[in-house]
C-alpha cells in the first residue's frame, strides 16, 4: 500500500537525529522498584555491546588454607533505564514526510527479479534507534550478513536496493520499527522515510519477492496497513505471548508453550478487514489480542511484532531464530546452532568455602569426595536422559594434577580396596576417565601473569603428563589457566614472586597486549591451540563478532575461547552459602545492590538460569564455568552445579525444540576456529552469494583465496531443527542447490 502523504520533513532535519538522545525517541521511562524474577537478564549493562557482561568485582583477600579466586559473578540484570518498558511509538501523532515523487522510482531496465544476494538490509531511524541492536543481534546469531541504512541521513533509492547488473542486493528487509519513528522536534514524531522512499521500498519487495520484518510497531494505516488496529487502553509491558497454530508454522523451533514477556511495551491489537490485505495472527496475549502477525498485500509478505524488542529480553531471544528463518525463507549464509557447554574448574585441589554466618571464609577448605564425583557423573547422565533437546551432555572437567595420586587404583567402588586407595578422588576419577571431557587447568593453578618460561612450560606439560598417568580422556589442544591468568587482566604491580598468594585487588584489564609472552610460548610449544578466556573481561572477547574466538595478538595460532561466569561463586557448596553470598552482593545493602529484597535459593536459580538460557538462545558456543566446590552433594543426588544446569535446560526445553550440542573442548575449539574464519571472511567480502530462485541455486563466487562458509538451506545438508546446513570451502565459482522451508 502506498504511504499516506503528510507534513514534509526535509532531509537536513533528518540529519539532526544523531544529536538526539534516546529520551527524545522514547516516552519517559519509569523505573520499577523491582524486576520480575523470570525476566531475562543476559544483556549488556554497559550498553556498548548487546551481549556483554562486565562482572562485578567483589574480590577480597582470603585464607590461604583453601584454593582462592577473585570473585567473578554474572551481573543480575541490565540497567532498568535500558529496558523498553515504556517504549511508546506515539502512533496518533506520526507523520510521513511528503516525497518529491508521487510514486516509486522506476525499476532499472535490466532487473533480474529472480536473483537476490544473500544479505539482509536493516533500515534504522538513527543511532538512538532502540530496535537496532535487536536486529543486529538476531542476524549475527545466525551468521547472516547484513547492511544498516540510517534512513535519517541516507536516502533510500533503487540504487540502494538493486545492483548495477539488476540483481537485488538484499534477500530480506528489517524495519527496526514499522514506521521508522523518530522525534524530529519536541512532540513531533516523523517517519525516517518519506512517501516516495516507502513506495520505492515496497516496489522492490514486490518485484523481487523479498520479505519484510517489522521488529516493533503500533499498527495504523501509516505508512502502510497491516490489517491490525490498536485496542486502546490494553497496552502492557508484562504478560504472556501465546503461539497460534499459524505461529507454530512460522516459528518451527517453538514448542507452542506461552512465552514470557517482561519489561517490553506492547500494543495489543485486533484484526481490521482491509481490502487486499490478508492478516494471520502468530502470537496473542492472554486476552486473545494480537501481538504478532504475518500480513500479505499486493504480492508482498510482511511480519510485524507489536511488542518492543531488546537483545537482553527473553522473548526476543526466543523469537530471534524463527524470525530470521522466516525472513530468509530458510536460505542464508551462516548457521545457527545451540550448545550446552558447562565447565567445572579446580578438580583435585582444595577450595575455599564461604561462611554465611560471618560473610568470610571457613577455616577448613573443601575438596570433592569420591561420592561427590560419582554424583556429578550420575547427575549429568540424568540430565541427558531427562530432556529430548539434550544431546550427549557431559561436564568438561578442568583438572589440576597437583592434588591427584596416579598410583591410586582405578575403581568406582573405592571402599572395596581398603588401604590400597591412596586417594579416593583419584581412584574414581580414573574409573570415570571417559565420563567427562578432561581439560588441562595447569598443575598447580598458579597465576601465570608474569611467570617465566620454564615454570610456565612445566605447569602445562606436567599436568598433561599427570592426566596421561591417570588414563584420562584428555582434550590435548586445550588449556585453562588459573583465574584465566596470563592474558592481561591482572594486578599491574605483580612481580611474579607470589604466584600462589594474595594480590592487589581489584585486578585491571590491561588488554591482551599485556599478556605473558612466556605463557603464550609455553602453550603453543606444548601443542595447545585453544585457550580459555573470560567473557566478562572486555579485552578477552571480540565485541565486533560476539560469536568469534579471538586469535591471540602475540601468536594467532592460539585461539581464545571465551567462557561465561554465573552467579554460583567459586566458594559456595550449599544453597545457603550460594544465596547468602549472592545477597551480600545484590540484595538491599549489598556491595552492588540491585534487587529490592533478599533472594531465597529458588529465586536465585530462577534469575540466574534465565541469564544462562539466554546464552543458549544466542547461538554462541561459549561454556559457562563453575568450580569443584559447586559439585558438593549437599543432599542425595543434589549439587549446586547440577541444579543450575537442570534449571537452565528445563527453561530452554519449555520453549524450544532445537537440540543442544555438547562438544569436547578440542572439538569445540575446532568449531569456533572455523566459525571465526567464516565470519571474518564474510566481513571482508571474501565472496558473494547470489540466490537464483528460478533454479533454486545459490552461486558462490570467491574474491580470492579459498574461503570457508556455511550455507543454510543447502539440499542434503546436515539437518538441525527444520533446516539443513553444511560447511564448505571453495576456490572457484560454484552453484549449490537449495530449498526453502
Amino acid at each position: 500500500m502506498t504511504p499516506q502523504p503528510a507534513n514534509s520533513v526535509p532531509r537536513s532535519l533528518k540529519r539532526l537525529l544523531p544529536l538526539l538522545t534516546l529520551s527524545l525517541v522514547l516516552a519517559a521511562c519509569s523505573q520499577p522498584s523491582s524486576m520480575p524474577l523470570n525476566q531475562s537478564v543476559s544483556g549488556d549493562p554497559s550498553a556498548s555491546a548487546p551481549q556483554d557482561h562486565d562482572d562485578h568485582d567483589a574480590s577480597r583477600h582470603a585464607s590461604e588454607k583453601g584454593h582462592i579466586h577473585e570473585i567473578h559473578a554474572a551481573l543480575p540484570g541490565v540497567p532498568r533505564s535500558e529496558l523498553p518498558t515504556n517504549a511508546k511509538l506515539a502512533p496518533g501523532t506520526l507523520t510521513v514526510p511528503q516525497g518529491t515523487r508521487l510514486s516509486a522510482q522506476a525499476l532499472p531496465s535490466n532487473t533480474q527479479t529472480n536473483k537476490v544476494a544473500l544479505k539482509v538490509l536493516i533500515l534504522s531511524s538513527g543511532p538512538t534507534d532502540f530496535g537496532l541492536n535487536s536486529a543486529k543481534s538476531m542476524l549475527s546469531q545466525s551468521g547472516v550478513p547484513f547492511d544498516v541504512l540510517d534512513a535519517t541521513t541516507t536516502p533510500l533509492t533503487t540504487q540502494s536496493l538493486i545492483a548495477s547488473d539488476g540483481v537485488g542486493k538484499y534477500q530480506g528487509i528489517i524495519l527496526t520499527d514499522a514506521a521508522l519513528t523518530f522525534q524530529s522536534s519536541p512532540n513531533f514524531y516523523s517517519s525516517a522515510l518519506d512517501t516516495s522512499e516507502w513506495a520505492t521500498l515496497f516496489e522492490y519487495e514486490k518485484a523481487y519477492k523479498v520479505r519484510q520484518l517489522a521488529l516493533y510497531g503500533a499498527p495504523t494505516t501509516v505508512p502502510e496497513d497491516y490489517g491490525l488496529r490498536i485496542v486502546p487502553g490494553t497496552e502492557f509491558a508484562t504478560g504472556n505471548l501465546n503461539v497460534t497454530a499459524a505461529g507454530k508454522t512460522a516459528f518451527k523451533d517453538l514448542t507452542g508453550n506461552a512465552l514470557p514477556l517482561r519489561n517490553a511495551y506492547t500494543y495489543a491489537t485486533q484484526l481490521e478487514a482491509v481490502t487486499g490485505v490478508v492478516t494471520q495472527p502468530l502470537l496473542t496475549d492472554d486476552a486473545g489480542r494480537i501481538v504478532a502477525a504475518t500480513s500479505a498485500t499486493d504480492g508482498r509478505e510482511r511480519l510485524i511484532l507489536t511488542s518492543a524488542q531488546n537483545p537482553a529480553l527473553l522473548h526476543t531471544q526466543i523469537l530471534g531464530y524463527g524470525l530470521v528463518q522466516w525472513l530468509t525463507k530458510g536460505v542464508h549464509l551462516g548457521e545457527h546452532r545451540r550448545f550446552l557447554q558447562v565447565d567445572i574448574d579446580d578438580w583435585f585441589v582444595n577450595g575455599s568455602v564461604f561462611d554465611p554466618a560471618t560473610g568470610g571464609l571457613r577455616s577448613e577448605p573443601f575438596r570433592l569426595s569420591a561420592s561427590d564425583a560419582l554424583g556429578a557423573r550420575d547427575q549429568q547422565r540424568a540430565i541427558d536422559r531427562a530432556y529430548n533437546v539434550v544431546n550427549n551432555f557431559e561436564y568438561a572437567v578442568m583438572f589440576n594434577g597437583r592434588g591427584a595420586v596416579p598410583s591410586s587404583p582405578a575403581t568406582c567402588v573405592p571402599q572395596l580396596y581398603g588401604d590400597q586407595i591412596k586417594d579416593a578422588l583419584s581412584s574414581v576419577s580414573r574409573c570415570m576417565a571417559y565420563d567427562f571431557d578432561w581439560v588441562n587447568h595447569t598443575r598447580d593453578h598458579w597465576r601465570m601473569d608474569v611467570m617465566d618460561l620454564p615454570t610456565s612450560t612445566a605447569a602445562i606439560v606436567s599436568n598433561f603428563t599427570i592426566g596421561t598417568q591417570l588414563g584420562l580422556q584428555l582434550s590435548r589442544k586445550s588449556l585453562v589457566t588459573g583465574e584465566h591468568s596470563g592474558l592481561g587482566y591482572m594486578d599491574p604491580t605483580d612481580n611474579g614472586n607470589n604466584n600462589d598468594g594474595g594480590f592487589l585487588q581489584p585486578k585491571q584489564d590491561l588488554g591482551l597486549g599485556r599478556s605473558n609472552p612466556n605463557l603464550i610460548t609455553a602453550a603453543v610449544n606444548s601443542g595447545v591451540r585453544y585457550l580459555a578466556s573470560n567473557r566478562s573481561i572486555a579485552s578477552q572477547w571480540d565485541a565486533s563478532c560476539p560469536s568469534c574466538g579471538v586469535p591471540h595478538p602475540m601468536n594467532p595460532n592460539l585461539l581464545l575461547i571465551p567462557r561465561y561466569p554465573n552467579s554460583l561463586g567459586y566458594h559456595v557448596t550449599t544453597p545457603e552459602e550460594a544465596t547468602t553470598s549472592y545477597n551480600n552482593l545484590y540484595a538491599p545493602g549489598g556491595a552492588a545492590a540491585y534487587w529490592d529484597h533478599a533472594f531465597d535459593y529458588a529465586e536465585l536459580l530462577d534469575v540466574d538460569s534465565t541469564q544462562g538460557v539466554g546464552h543458549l538462545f544466542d547461538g554462541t558456543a561459549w561454556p559457562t564455568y563453575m568450580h569443584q566446590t559447586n559439585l558438593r552433594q549437599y543432599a542425595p543426588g543434589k549439587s549446586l552445579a547440577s541444579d543450575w544446569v537442570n534449571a537452565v535446560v528445563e527453561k530452554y526445553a519449555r520453549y524450544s525444540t532445537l537440540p543442544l550440542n555438547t562438544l569436547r573442548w578440542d572439538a569445540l575449539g575446532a568449531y569456533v576456529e572455523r566459525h571465526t574464519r567464516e565470519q571474518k571472511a564474510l566481513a571482508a567480502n571474501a565472496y558473494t552469494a547470489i540466490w537464483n530462485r528460478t533454479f533454486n541455486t545459490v552461486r558462490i563466487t570467491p574474491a580470492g583465496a579459498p574461503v570457508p562458509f556455511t550455507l543454510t538451506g543447502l539440499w542434503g545438508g546436515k539437518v538441525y531443527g527444520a533446516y539443513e546446513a553444511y560447511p564448505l570451502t571453495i576456490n572457484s565459482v560454484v552453484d549449490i542447490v537449495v530449498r526453502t522451508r
Side-chain angles (χ1 to χ4, degrees), residues 34-47 49-56 73-84 263 310-314 317 565-567 582 585-587 592-595 599 603-604 606-612 615:
S34 65
M35 297 176 66
L37 298 182
N38 49 359
Q39 131 95 36
S40 175
V41 289
S42 62
D44 172 17
S46 66
Q51 298 171 340
D52 184 21
H53 295 248
D54 290 326
D55 55 347
H56 176 70
L75 277 173
V78 296
R80 294 183 179 94
S81 60
E82 294 179 23
L83 296 170
N263 291 304
N310 184 294
L313 296 179
L314 188 56
Q317 296 163 349
N566 69 6
S567 293
Y582 185 87
L585 288 174
Y586 302 125
Y594 185 87
W595 305 108
F599 280 8
E603 291 173 310
L604 168 57
D606 185 39
V607 165
D608 206 67
S609 64
T610 301
Q611 182 162 0
H615 298 155

Side-chain angles (χ1 to χ4, degrees), residues 16 42 52 92 111 138 171 187 192 195 219 230 241 263 301 305 325 379 407 412 457 481 542 585 630 658 665:
L16 294 176
S42 62
D52 184 21
T111 54
M138 64 176 57
Q171 67 177 128
N187 300 316
T195 55
I230 297 170
L241 305 179
N263 291 304
E301 296 179 86
L305 305 166
Q325 299 307 320
Q379 287 155 30
S407 60
C412 281
T457 301
T481 59
D542 185 351
L585 288 174
N630 306 144
L658 289 185
W665 251 81

Side-chain angles (χ1 to χ4, degrees), residues 175-196:
L175 309 177
T176 53
D177 81 71
L180 295 179
T181 307
F182 76 104
Q183 190 170 343
S184 52
S185 61
N187 300 316
F188 183 83
Y189 292 85
S190 175
S191 169
L193 293 181
D194 64 30
T195 55
S196 57

Side-chain angles (χ1 to χ4, degrees), residues 136-404:
K136 290 180 176 179
S137 177
M138 64 176 57
L139 292 171
S140 297
Q141 289 167 8
S142 291
V144 177
F146 60 86
D147 290 331
V148 177
L149 187 148
D150 180 350
T152 65
T153 60
T154 304
L156 181 70
T157 66
T158 55
Q159 289 74 31
S160 307
L161 302 169
I162 302 172
S164 59
D165 61 359
V167 173
K169 291 183 177 181
Y170 303 105
Q171 67 177 128
I173 306 294
I174 293 181
L175 309 177
T176 53
D177 81 71
L180 295 179
T181 307
F182 76 104
Q183 190 170 343
S184 52
S185 61
N187 300 316
F188 183 83
Y189 292 85
S190 175
S191 169
L193 293 181
D194 64 30
T195 55
S196 57
E197 289 173 307
W198 280 114
T200 295
L201 175 65
F202 298 159
E203 183 65 21
Y204 172 75
E205 292 173 352
K206 175 183 177 181
Y208 284 82
K209 304 299 181 186
V210 167
R211 286 176 170 174
Q212 173 185 293
L213 167 62
L215 281 180
Y216 182 32
T220 63
T221 61
V222 179
E224 60 174 327
D225 200 325
Y226 285 86
L228 297 171
R229 297 292 182 270
I230 297 170
V231 181
T234 62
E235 298 85 354
F236 64 96
T238 293
N240 296 307
L241 305 179
N242 300 290
V243 186
T244 68
K248 293 177 184 178
T249 300
F251 302 108
K252 301 182 190 303
D253 58 310
L254 298 187
T255 62
N257 290 328
L259 314 180
L261 184 143
R262 305 291 184 266
N263 291 304
Y265 199 84
T266 301
Y267 292 94
T269 69
Q270 62 188 10
L271 291 173
E272 175 80 6
V274 177
T275 302
V277 176
V278 178
T279 303
Q280 183 68 60
L282 304 179
L283 302 172
T284 62
D285 66 12
D286 288 333
R289 294 179 289 258
I290 301 165
V291 293
T294 53
S295 180
T297 184
D298 196 25
R300 297 171 51 237
E301 296 179 86
R302 307 162 296 176
L303 192 157
I304 185 172
L305 305 166
T306 65
S307 57
Q309 306 301 314
N310 184 294
L313 296 179
L314 188 56
H315 71 278
T316 301
Q317 296 163 349
I318 294 171
L319 294 174
Y321 170 81
L323 291 171
V324 170
Q325 299 307 320
W326 178 88
L327 180 67
T328 63
K329 303 179 183 178
V331 176
H332 61 80
L333 291 172
E335 67 171 342
H336 183 107
R337 291 184 183 270
R338 294 177 182 164
F339 298 86
L340 180 62
Q341 305 285 151
V342 183
D343 296 349
I344 304 295
D345 289 6
D346 306 345
W347 196 278
F348 291 129
V349 298
N350 291 334
S352 299
V353 182
F354 178 75
D355 186 346
T358 66
L361 297 179
R362 299 184 190 276
S363 59
E364 294 301 320
F366 172 82
R367 183 177 187 257
L368 280 175
S369 68
S371 60
D372 291 326
L374 292 167
R377 176 202 63 184
D378 295 343
Q379 287 155 30
Q380 79 176 14
R381 290 176 177 176
I383 291 167
D384 198 65
R385 291 192 302 265
Y387 302 99
N388 291 332
V389 294
V390 174
N391 184 22
N392 297 321
F393 171 67
E394 64 180 15
Y395 288 116
V397 172
M398 284 47 191
F399 72 98
N400 303 102
R402 177 188 70 188

Side-chain angles (χ1 to χ4, degrees), residues 64-81:
E64 294 298 325
K65 293 184 178 180
H67 189 57
I68 63 172
H69 284 268
E70 183 180 49
I71 294 177
H72 281 266
L75 277 173
V78 296
R80 294 183 179 94
S81 60

